[in-house]
Amino acid sequence: MSEPTKSPNGRPGGKNQPERFQPKVILIWLAIFTVMAVLWYQTDKSGNTNEIPMYDVVVNTEEGLIVSGKIFPNPNGGNDYYDVVGTMKMKDELAPEGFVVVPFRADGKLGDEQYAILQSSGKFQENESNTFLPQLLAGLIPFLLVIGIIYFLFVRQLRMAGRGALSFGKSKAKLLTQNKEKTTFNDVAGCDEAKEEVSEIIDFLKDPKKFQRIGARIPTGILMVGPPGTGKTLLAKAVAGEAEVPFFSISGSDFVEMFVGVGASRVRDMFEQGRKSAPCLIFIDEIDAVGRQRGAGVGGGNDEREQTLNSLLVEMDGFDTTEGVIIMAATNRPDVLDKALLRPGRFDREVVIGLPDLRGREDILKVHAKKIKLSESVDLRNIARATPGFAGADLANLLNEGALMAARKNKNQVEMIDIHDAKDKISFGRERRQLMDEEDQRMTAFHEAGHALIAALLYKTKIKLHKVTIIPRGRALGLTMSTATKDILGQSKSELMDDICMAMGGRIGEEVETGDFSNGAAMDIKQATGIARHMVCHWGMSPLGPISFGDNEEHLFLGREISKTHNLSEETAKRIDEEISNIIQGQFERAKVLVEENREALKKIANALLEYETIEGVHVQEIVDFGEIRTEVISTKTEELKQEETALEEKEEKDKKSEESEELPPAVGGAQAMA
């Protein structure tokens, strides 16, 4: 068998062409299977026949039990040696005719008299011998099978340079070429600064000589840093799409394997593939999986992950940027990366992709809105204004959830109300129609009314009250929802105090109405305590002064040292606890005064919640300012709940009338039953 045609570099089909399963190999194996089938047909065509002695064939012929048959001379047995096949009758009491016709086969010697008996019966036909072909095939088939097995297990595996069964040391990088769906900068929005940072990479990949003429060295690697969902991977694909070069994508976890040395081998193979496909772009997603700081954590270093990292460092250090290969990586944990990985010459440039601002969120919404049928009433700018802190993935999920809600309601278009409902679901959890008795519902109403009252009194600028509900969402029995009116980059001390005061409002609302309080304020207390602790220990917003305490609070296994240095005295720790307690207690008393001064408004808000279940922030503000709700309230109660409440009211009214009729004296003059 001739070898496949090879290119000058030794790879079939030319440079950078993947090894393919050639058509002639398929034809060879089809021929082998065809020959095997013919051999089986020739040698085992009577596999279900009855083997009988040649003497029985003669006896059955004389008794007239033979239906038909064929006689084949068999030279292998010598003279007068024959193979006889055919059908004969066999007794069977269960059969309708008392017998069944079955096939038979026999071989052996036939004398002249016996042969004459078979011939005179008129049931047999004599055929020429055809044993040459089965014998030939029986000798060739095993030989061909052995050759085929050797070819596939050894020759092809060696020629494929480790693919197939020996591929565990090869890179798992996925190659995305221009033949597939192309991603460009038009598909990326909300990160204009990041696109400017990587634009010169595109220029270099398109025209490297422009930079080489003046002696400029393009960055070896670019590290993209940012929260999850901000578009780091998408930006890397867009760079490759704009430059129109091959794009190798691999995850950091793909280098980790159970075999020793596999990770380092895959790193070397990945860079080798990049050199052969130059100019190209190699993208390593979640590089913190393999690039964590060495020698940290339990057990120290010298593990398989560190060997992989060492191989990556060596390859990047000896990488020639004039070859036109750019390394890009993404992570949301740059603090745990090894310092050797971040030095110039490896990852020279760090591109920060943060959360989008108002304009960025609007641009992102426009990109994702192209695939969704939106109503004319949908204002993307208002949605962008109402979603501060949302990443690109969050905004895409928001539109998708709105489309799902509209589809469940059998709408043809997505309306603004669907987007708002989707935002509430994503931010605060899905509504749970959990049955609550009157007492629990009343306690929840006054709890949320306390939060809403203080929010309406204190929040005026950056944050506004959005909605209040006593419908369970997530793990909460009720929610007071506040939204930011703009992107919050920082908070003052007074704003943080307002947050703590608002968190205390729920417990005070319960206490003012019932004289008691429940454990429903557990999360509020936890949130308020966390804010107060940060104010004292990290932000310098206490009489202790602008001093940071507890800066050694590192998590284990995150690439940091285990040991801690205790830089706090017992006296300082005591003062910290006192200041935290003073802040919490002061805001608790402040919230109590506000609720007591506006007790009537508290009751009206709670009664409105009991009636409508959900009210908007504007309704709460109207109660605080005017003492009543002046705008229309859209009830969130379902038709089933309304029907249940109506039936319950009718039943109560009927029972009341029956009780009143029993108290009246019997009617006189009417039709009465007389004994």
Coordinates of all heavy atoms in Angstrom, one line a residue, residues 434-495:
Q434 N -47.2 32.1 48.4 CA -47.2 31.3 49.6 C -48.4 31.8 50.5 O -48.5 33.0 50.7 CB -45.9 31.4 50.4 CG -45.8 30.6 51.6 CD -44.4 30.7 52.3 OE1 -43.5 31.3 51.7 NE2 -44.3 30.2 53.5
L435 N -49.2 30.8 50.9 CA -50.3 31.1 51.8 C -49.8 31.5 53.2 O -49.1 30.8 53.8 CB -51.3 29.9 51.9 CG -51.9 29.5 50.6 CD1 -52.8 28.3 50.8 CD2 -52.8 30.7 50.0
M436 N -50.3 32.7 53.6 CA -50.0 33.2 55.0 C -51.3 33.5 55.7 O -52.2 34.0 55.0 CB -49.1 34.4 54.9 CG -47.7 34.2 54.4 SD -46.6 35.6 54.7 CE -47.3 36.8 53.6
D437 N -51.3 33.3 57.0 CA -52.5 33.6 57.7 C -52.5 35.1 58.0 O -51.6 35.9 57.6 CB -52.6 32.8 59.0 CG -51.4 33.1 59.9 OD1 -50.6 34.1 59.7 OD2 -51.1 32.2 60.8
E438 N -53.6 35.6 58.5 CA -53.8 37.0 58.7 C -52.8 37.7 59.6 O -52.3 38.8 59.3 CB -55.2 37.3 59.2 CG -55.6 38.8 59.3 CD -57.0 39.0 59.7 OE1 -57.8 38.0 59.9 OE2 -57.4 40.1 60.0
E439 N -52.4 37.0 60.6 CA -51.4 37.5 61.6 C -50.1 37.7 61.0 O -49.4 38.7 61.1 CB -51.3 36.6 62.8 CG -50.4 37.1 63.9 CD -50.3 36.2 65.1 OE1 -51.1 35.2 65.1 OE2 -49.5 36.4 66.0
D440 N -49.6 36.6 60.2 CA -48.3 36.7 59.6 C -48.3 37.8 58.5 O -47.3 38.5 58.3 CB -47.9 35.4 59.0 CG -47.6 34.3 60.0 OD1 -47.3 34.7 61.2 OD2 -47.7 33.1 59.8
Q441 N -49.4 37.9 57.8 CA -49.4 38.9 56.7 C -49.4 40.3 57.3 O -48.8 41.2 56.7 CB -50.7 38.7 55.9 CG -50.7 39.3 54.5 CD -51.9 38.9 53.7 OE1 -53.0 38.6 54.2 NE2 -51.7 38.8 52.4
R442 N -50.1 40.5 58.4 CA -50.1 41.8 59.0 C -48.7 42.2 59.6 O -48.3 43.3 59.4 CB -51.1 41.8 60.2 CG -51.3 43.2 60.8 CD -52.5 43.3 61.7 NE -52.8 44.6 62.2 CZ -53.4 45.5 61.6 NH1 -53.9 45.3 60.4 NH2 -53.6 46.7 62.1
M443 N -48.0 41.2 60.2 CA -46.7 41.5 60.7 C -45.7 41.8 59.5 O -44.9 42.8 59.6 CB -46.2 40.2 61.4 CG -44.8 40.3 62.0 SD -44.7 41.5 63.4 CE -45.4 40.4 64.7
T444 N -45.8 41.1 58.4 CA -45.0 41.4 57.3 C -45.3 42.7 56.7 O -44.4 43.5 56.3 CB -45.2 40.3 56.2 OG1 -44.9 39.0 56.7 CG2 -44.3 40.5 55.0
A445 N -46.6 43.1 56.7 CA -47.0 44.4 56.1 C -46.4 45.6 56.9 O -45.8 46.5 56.3 CB -48.5 44.5 56.1
F446 N -46.4 45.5 58.2 CA -45.9 46.6 59.1 C -44.3 46.5 59.0 O -43.7 47.6 59.2 CB -46.4 46.4 60.5 CG -47.7 47.1 60.7 CD1 -48.9 46.4 60.6 CD2 -47.7 48.5 61.0 CE1 -50.1 47.0 60.8 CE2 -49.0 49.1 61.2 CZ -50.1 48.4 61.1
H447 N -43.7 45.4 58.9 CA -42.3 45.3 58.7 C -41.8 46.0 57.5 O -40.9 46.9 57.5 CB -41.8 43.8 58.6 CG -40.4 43.6 58.5 ND1 -39.5 43.3 59.6 CD2 -39.5 43.7 57.4 CE1 -38.3 43.2 59.1 NE2 -38.2 43.5 57.8
E448 N -42.4 45.7 56.3 CA -42.1 46.4 55.1 C -42.5 47.9 55.1 O -41.8 48.7 54.5 CB -42.7 45.7 53.9 CG -42.3 44.2 53.8 CD -40.8 44.0 53.7 OE1 -40.1 44.9 53.2 OE2 -40.3 42.9 54.2
A449 N -43.6 48.2 55.8 CA -44.0 49.6 55.9 C -43.0 50.4 56.6 O -42.7 51.6 56.3 CB -45.4 49.7 56.5
G450 N -42.3 49.8 57.6 CA -41.3 50.5 58.4 C -40.1 50.8 57.5 O -39.5 51.9 57.5
H451 N -39.6 49.8 56.6 CA -38.6 50.1 55.7 C -39.0 51.2 54.7 O -38.2 52.1 54.4 CB -38.2 48.8 54.9 CG -37.5 47.8 55.7 ND1 -36.4 48.1 56.4 CD2 -37.7 46.4 55.9 CE1 -35.9 47.0 57.0 NE2 -36.7 46.0 56.7
A452 N -40.2 51.1 54.1 CA -40.6 52.0 53.1 C -40.7 53.4 53.6 O -40.4 54.4 52.9 CB -41.9 51.5 52.5
L453 N -41.2 53.6 54.9 CA -41.4 54.9 55.4 C -40.1 55.6 55.6 O -39.9 56.8 55.2 CB -42.1 54.8 56.8 CG -42.3 56.1 57.6 CD1 -43.2 57.1 56.8 CD2 -42.9 55.8 59.0
I454 N -39.1 54.9 56.1 CA -37.8 55.6 56.3 C -37.1 55.8 55.0 O -36.4 56.9 54.8 CB -36.9 54.7 57.2 CG1 -37.5 54.7 58.6 CG2 -35.5 55.3 57.3 CD1 -36.8 53.8 59.6
A455 N -37.3 54.9 54.0 CA -36.7 55.1 52.7 C -37.3 56.3 52.0 O -36.6 57.1 51.4 CB -36.9 53.9 51.8
A456 N -38.6 56.5 52.2 CA -39.3 57.7 51.6 C -38.8 59.0 52.2 O -38.8 60.0 51.6 CB -40.8 57.5 51.7
L457 N -38.5 58.9 53.5 CA -38.1 60.1 54.3 C -36.6 60.5 54.0 O -36.2 61.7 54.0 CB -38.3 59.9 55.8 CG -39.8 59.8 56.2 CD1 -39.8 59.4 57.7 CD2 -40.5 61.1 56.0
L458 N -35.7 59.5 53.8 CA -34.3 59.7 53.7 C -33.7 59.7 52.3 O -32.8 60.5 52.0 CB -33.6 58.7 54.6 CG -33.9 58.7 56.1 CD1 -33.1 57.6 56.8 CD2 -33.7 60.0 56.7
Y459 N -34.2 58.8 51.5 CA -33.6 58.7 50.1 C -34.2 59.8 49.2 O -35.4 59.7 48.9 CB -33.9 57.3 49.6 CG -33.2 56.2 50.3 CD1 -33.6 54.9 50.2 CD2 -32.1 56.4 51.1 CE1 -33.0 53.8 50.8 CE2 -31.4 55.4 51.7 CZ -31.9 54.1 51.6 OH -31.2 53.1 52.2
K460 N -33.3 60.6 48.7 CA -33.8 61.7 47.9 C -33.0 61.9 46.6 O -33.5 62.4 45.6 CB -33.8 63.1 48.7 CG -34.6 63.1 49.9 CD -36.1 63.0 49.6 CE -36.9 63.1 50.9 NZ -38.4 62.9 50.6
T461 N -31.7 61.5 46.6 CA -30.8 61.8 45.5 C -30.4 60.6 44.7 O -30.9 60.3 43.7 CB -29.6 62.6 46.0 OG1 -29.0 61.9 47.0 CG2 -30.0 64.0 46.5
K462 N -29.4 59.9 45.3 CA -28.8 58.8 44.5 C -29.7 57.5 44.5 O -29.7 56.8 43.5 CB -27.5 58.4 45.2 CG -26.4 59.4 45.0 CD -25.1 58.9 45.6 CE -24.0 60.0 45.5 NZ -22.7 59.5 46.1
I463 N -30.5 57.3 45.5 CA -31.3 56.1 45.6 C -32.8 56.6 45.8 O -33.1 57.5 46.5 CB -30.9 55.2 46.8 CG1 -29.4 54.8 46.6 CG2 -31.8 54.0 46.9 CD1 -28.9 54.0 47.8
K464 N -33.7 55.8 45.2 CA -35.1 56.1 45.4 C -35.9 54.8 45.7 O -35.4 53.7 45.3 CB -35.7 56.8 44.2 CG -35.8 56.0 43.0 CD -36.5 56.7 41.8 CE -36.7 55.8 40.6 NZ -37.5 56.5 39.5
L465 N -37.0 54.9 46.4 CA -37.8 53.8 46.7 C -38.5 53.3 45.4 O -39.2 54.1 44.7 CB -38.8 54.1 47.8 CG -39.7 53.0 48.2 CD1 -38.9 51.9 48.8 CD2 -40.8 53.5 49.2
H466 N -38.4 52.1 45.0 CA -38.9 51.5 43.8 C -40.3 50.9 44.0 O -41.3 51.2 43.4 CB -37.9 50.5 43.2 CG -38.5 49.8 42.0 ND1 -39.0 50.4 40.9 CD2 -38.6 48.4 41.8 CE1 -39.4 49.5 40.0 NE2 -39.2 48.3 40.5
K467 N -40.4 49.9 44.9 CA -41.6 49.1 45.1 C -41.5 48.5 46.4 O -40.5 48.2 47.0 CB -41.7 48.1 44.0 CG -43.0 47.3 43.9 CD -42.9 46.2 42.8 CE -42.8 46.9 41.4 NZ -42.8 45.8 40.4
V468 N -42.7 48.3 47.0 CA -42.9 47.5 48.3 C -43.9 46.4 48.1 O -45.0 46.7 47.5 CB -43.3 48.5 49.4 CG1 -43.3 47.8 50.8 CG2 -42.5 49.7 49.4
T469 N -43.6 45.3 48.6 CA -44.5 44.1 48.4 C -44.5 43.2 49.6 O -43.5 43.1 50.3 CB -44.1 43.3 47.1 OG1 -45.1 42.2 46.9 CG2 -42.7 42.8 47.2
I470 N -45.6 42.6 49.8 CA -45.7 41.5 50.9 C -45.8 40.2 50.2 O -46.2 39.2 50.9 CB -46.8 41.8 51.9 CG1 -48.2 41.9 51.2 CG2 -46.5 43.1 52.7 CD1 -49.3 42.0 52.1
I471 N -45.7 40.1 48.9 CA -45.6 38.8 48.2 C -44.2 38.2 48.4 O -43.2 38.8 48.1 CB -46.0 39.0 46.7 CG1 -47.3 39.6 46.6 CG2 -45.9 37.6 46.0 CD1 -47.7 39.9 45.1
P472 N -44.1 37.0 48.9 CA -42.8 36.4 49.1 C -42.0 36.3 47.8 O -42.5 35.9 46.8 CB -43.1 35.0 49.6 CG -44.5 35.1 50.2 CD -45.2 36.1 49.4
R473 N -40.8 36.7 47.9 CA -39.8 36.6 46.8 C -38.5 36.0 47.3 O -38.0 36.4 48.3 CB -39.5 38.0 46.2 CG -40.6 38.6 45.2 CD -40.1 39.9 44.7 NE -41.1 40.5 43.7 CZ -41.0 40.3 42.4 NH1 -40.1 39.6 41.9 NH2 -41.9 40.8 41.6
G474 N -38.1 35.0 46.5 CA -36.8 34.4 47.0 C -37.0 33.7 48.3 O -37.9 32.9 48.5
R475 N -36.2 34.1 49.3 CA -36.3 33.5 50.6 C -37.0 34.5 51.6 O -37.0 34.3 52.8 CB -34.9 33.1 51.2 CG -34.3 31.9 50.4 CD -33.0 31.6 50.9 NE -32.0 32.6 50.6 CZ -30.7 32.6 51.0 NH1 -30.3 31.6 51.7 NH2 -29.9 33.6 50.7
A476 N -37.4 35.7 51.1 CA -38.0 36.7 52.0 C -39.5 36.7 51.9 O -40.1 36.4 50.8 CB -37.5 38.1 51.6
L477 N -40.2 37.0 53.0 CA -41.7 37.0 53.0 C -42.2 38.3 52.4 O -43.4 38.4 52.0 CB -42.2 36.8 54.4 CG -41.9 35.5 55.1 CD1 -42.4 35.5 56.5 CD2 -42.5 34.4 54.3
G478 N -41.4 39.3 52.3 CA -41.7 40.6 51.7 C -40.5 41.4 51.4 O -39.4 41.1 51.9
L479 N -40.6 42.4 50.5 CA -39.4 43.1 50.1 C -39.8 44.6 50.0 O -40.9 45.0 49.5 CB -38.9 42.6 48.8 CG -38.1 41.3 48.8 CD1 -37.8 40.9 47.3 CD2 -36.8 41.5 49.6
T480 N -38.8 45.4 50.3 CA -38.8 46.8 50.0 C -37.7 47.1 49.0 O -36.5 47.0 49.4 CB -38.6 47.7 51.3 OG1 -39.7 47.4 52.2 CG2 -38.6 49.2 51.0
M481 N -38.0 47.4 47.8 CA -37.0 47.5 46.7 C -36.6 48.9 46.5 O -37.5 49.8 46.3 CB -37.6 46.9 45.4 CG -38.2 45.5 45.6 SD -39.1 44.9 44.1 CE -40.1 43.6 44.8
S482 N -35.3 49.2 46.5 CA -34.8 50.5 46.2 C -33.8 50.4 45.0 O -33.1 49.4 44.9 CB -34.0 51.1 47.4 OG -34.9 51.2 48.5
T483 N -33.8 51.3 44.2 CA -33.0 51.3 43.0 C -32.2 52.6 42.9 O -32.6 53.7 43.5 CB -33.8 51.2 41.7 OG1 -34.8 52.3 41.6 CG2 -34.5 49.9 41.7
A484 N -31.0 52.5 42.3 CA -30.1 53.7 42.2 C -30.6 54.5 41.0 O -31.0 54.0 39.9 CB -28.7 53.3 42.0
T485 N -30.6 55.8 41.2 CA -31.0 56.7 40.1 C -29.9 57.0 39.1 O -30.1 57.5 38.1 CB -31.5 58.1 40.7 OG1 -30.5 58.6 41.5 CG2 -32.8 57.8 41.5
K486 N -28.6 56.7 39.5 CA -27.5 56.9 38.7 C -26.4 55.9 39.1 O -26.5 55.2 40.1 CB -26.9 58.3 38.8 CG -26.5 58.7 40.2 CD -25.9 60.1 40.1 CE -25.4 60.5 41.5 NZ -24.8 61.9 41.5
D487 N -25.3 55.8 38.4 CA -24.2 54.9 38.8 C -23.5 55.4 40.0 O -23.0 56.6 40.1 CB -23.2 54.9 37.6 CG -23.7 54.3 36.4 OD1 -24.7 53.5 36.5 OD2 -23.2 54.5 35.3
I488 N -23.5 54.6 41.1 CA -23.0 55.0 42.4 C -21.5 54.5 42.4 O -21.2 53.3 42.4 CB -23.7 54.3 43.5 CG1 -25.2 54.8 43.5 CG2 -23.1 54.6 44.8 CD1 -26.0 54.1 44.6
L489 N -20.6 55.5 42.4 CA -19.2 55.2 42.4 C -18.6 55.3 43.8 O -17.6 54.7 44.1 CB -18.4 56.3 41.5 CG -18.9 56.3 40.1 CD1 -18.1 57.4 39.3 CD2 -18.7 55.0 39.4
G490 N -19.4 55.9 44.7 CA -19.0 56.0 46.1 C -20.1 56.5 47.0 O -21.0 57.1 46.5
Q491 N -20.0 56.3 48.3 CA -21.0 56.7 49.2 C -20.4 57.5 50.4 O -19.3 57.2 50.8 CB -21.8 55.5 49.8 CG -22.8 54.9 48.8 CD -23.6 53.8 49.4 OE1 -23.1 52.7 49.7 NE2 -24.9 54.1 49.8
S492 N -21.1 58.6 50.8 CA -20.6 59.4 51.9 C -21.0 58.7 53.2 O -21.8 57.8 53.2 CB -21.2 60.8 51.8 OG -22.6 60.8 51.9
K493 N -20.5 59.3 54.3 CA -20.8 58.8 55.6 C -22.3 58.9 55.9 O -22.9 58.0 56.5 CB -20.0 59.5 56.7 CG -20.2 59.0 58.1 CD -19.3 59.8 59.1 CE -19.6 59.3 60.5 NZ -18.8 60.0 61.5
S494 N -22.9 60.1 55.6 CA -24.3 60.3 55.8 C -25.2 59.3 55.1 O -26.2 58.8 55.6 CB -24.7 61.7 55.5 OG -24.4 62.0 54.1
E495 N -24.8 59.0 53.8 CA -25.5 58.0 53.0 C -25.5 56.6 53.6 O -26.5 55.9 53.6 CB -25.1 58.0 51.6 CG -25.4 59.3 50.8 CD -24.7 59.4 49.5 OE1 -23.7 58.7 49.3 OE2 -25.0 60.3 48.7

